[in-house]
Amino acid sequence: MKRSTIIPCIMLTLFLAAGCDDSSGSHGNNTNNTNNANNTNNANNVNNTNNVNNQDLPYAVVDTGQDACYGDAAARGCVGVEQAFGGQDAQFRGNQPAYTDHGDGTVTDRVTGLMWVKTPDLNADGVIDVDDKLTWSELQAHVVALNGQAFAGHSDWRLPTIKELYSLIDFRGTDPSNGNEADLRPFIDDAVFGFAYGDTAAGERTIDAQYASGTLYVSGDLLFGVNFADGRIKGYGLTGFNGQDKTFLLLCVCGNEAYGVNDLVDNGDGTVTDRATGLTWSRDDSGEGMLWEEALAWVHRKNQENWLGHSDWRLPNVKELHTIVDYARSPDLTDSPALDPIFQATGITNEDGAPDWPFYWSSTTHAAAGGAGTAASYVAFGRALGYMNDEWVDVHGAGAQRSDPKTGDPADYPTGFGPQGDAIRILNFVRLVRGGAAWDASVLAPATCGNAACDDGETAANCPEDCGGGTGEDCGNGVCDAGETAQSCPQDCSEGPTACETSTDCEQPGACPLEAAVGCTCEPTPMGYDACIPNCHTADDCPPGPGGASLTCNAEGLCVPAQ
């Protein structure tokens, strides 16, 4: 594999807080409240068996919820840390999500101590759609109105910070951005909170489910939000491409104003402890980028070395990694990463030839609809670049959480990928963590997993490669062979572009959609394989995507999902 390595060279967060006192004294952390968040006898408790008490941690991290292990392409049995792909998110169990529904339109998160408005259905018509979305000025006005009416007995509602809002994300979700909308699951627990995909009847895309925070980017006219449809944090322009004000869904929050505030201590031994989260971090990063599989293996080697006097380091899950983002900092404002200077961060030269800082891998797979697991989530501590209008720009802001292919060659993406040309690096950096989530041996696959036979004790859940479909040598040949499924071999069995080795393959009958006006060429995809991608001069040349998804024409003359 060719490697085009990024060259090493060694926000002010704006909150909108109403500031009013709680008129009822009944927040979820009130130990005298009958609806107390830690009240194990409350009939309205959700996930009560996983209840946890984190009163000693003002910034307790909620687990991602990810419950499957993945290889480079699809789900696979979980293995020991000494084996390839061992040590990923699903193998460590953290604070499990635990909620109390108070029955008055509010929900308390018993892990974080935050109380939330339950649904973004602001007009209360029972449908979450475009009519419930607000502009930046309307978001601020809504908080004032909510406090003016003392909604649910409280008058201290606020826009959530991006760290508060991200506490709700659930990585059992599946991303529809690849055009496959089969078996969609949102990145938020929609049994607890109101959620809806984009209002397609009003011209929105499926992925238009951006929830607003109150955190503005310190280096641009961007508002950070969480997209619970595709599982990402991005800085969104307050004005859309159509010149109109961008609109967002909203969940207001109150309680635990210490949530998201770090309390970092340099231990003097190469480690940094955050007393707010209880996590201990390596002060220095890996110093070089690597593939996702290599990142997991690098952790194991460091543990064998008893690095910095410890042998229990982990690759952090993405919610843990996000806790150390400092939204008061950015490359353009402070000439630094979005990271407290107590940490060391290796400098790089970015795609635009400018000094910058890396993307950092998490242990969390960014699963796609249809079963693909070809991408993993990362946090951008430097600029979250995109190639737009023939130039690189900080399109989503330092502190964005996006995803990269787990394997491949970044040189195959000279102008990024997607309509906003997200920079694709693939070789990302690593910062290690210890403490917090604990190893869960119960998720390990049986020893027989991987022998191509579904043996006793194996299931599609603990050994998908044997019991949920094959991942053998035929995967990637463009044919959904016997034993392959959308989960184990998405490039052959999921609805989507035909796999190829050369552009000649795209000339075969059925390889290129009939509606592709300019034909197809064999191009790399972020899913980790080459496929026949329609060519275009304008968006009008592009055929419908998988499941009827809209495609647009990017700067390279290729039809890509309109996201």
Side-chain angles (χ1 to χ4, degrees), residues 40 83 87 121 128 149 219 307 315 360 533 541:
T40 57
Q83 299 182 54
D121 180 17
I128 300 169
Q149 70 185 58
S219 292
W307 195 46
L315 187 62
Y360 287 80
I533 304 299
D541 297 328

Side-chain angles (χ1 to χ4, degrees), residues 458-536:
E458 294 179 359
T459 66
N462 67 21
C463 187
E465 56 262 58
D466 289 353
C467 301
T471 54
E473 60 183 12
D474 291 333
C475 185
N477 66 0
V479 177
C480 192
D481 298 296
E484 293 179 352
T485 67
Q487 183 181 55
S488 67
C489 189
Q491 56 264 59
D492 291 351
C493 299
S494 294
E495 182 182 8
T498 302
C500 57
E501 294 183 1
T502 69
S503 290
T504 302
D505 296 332
C506 300
E507 298 172 3
Q508 302 302 313
C512 187
L514 294 176
E515 303 95 326
V518 195
C520 295
T521 53
C522 192
E523 302 287 345
T525 72
M527 282 72 75
Y529 62 94
D530 291 353
C532 295
I533 304 299
N535 299 317
C536 56

Side-chain angles (χ1 to χ4, degrees), residues 403-419:
S403 62
D404 250 0
K406 295 175 180 177
T407 188
D409 185 352
D412 290 332
Y413 305 91
T415 54
F417 186 81

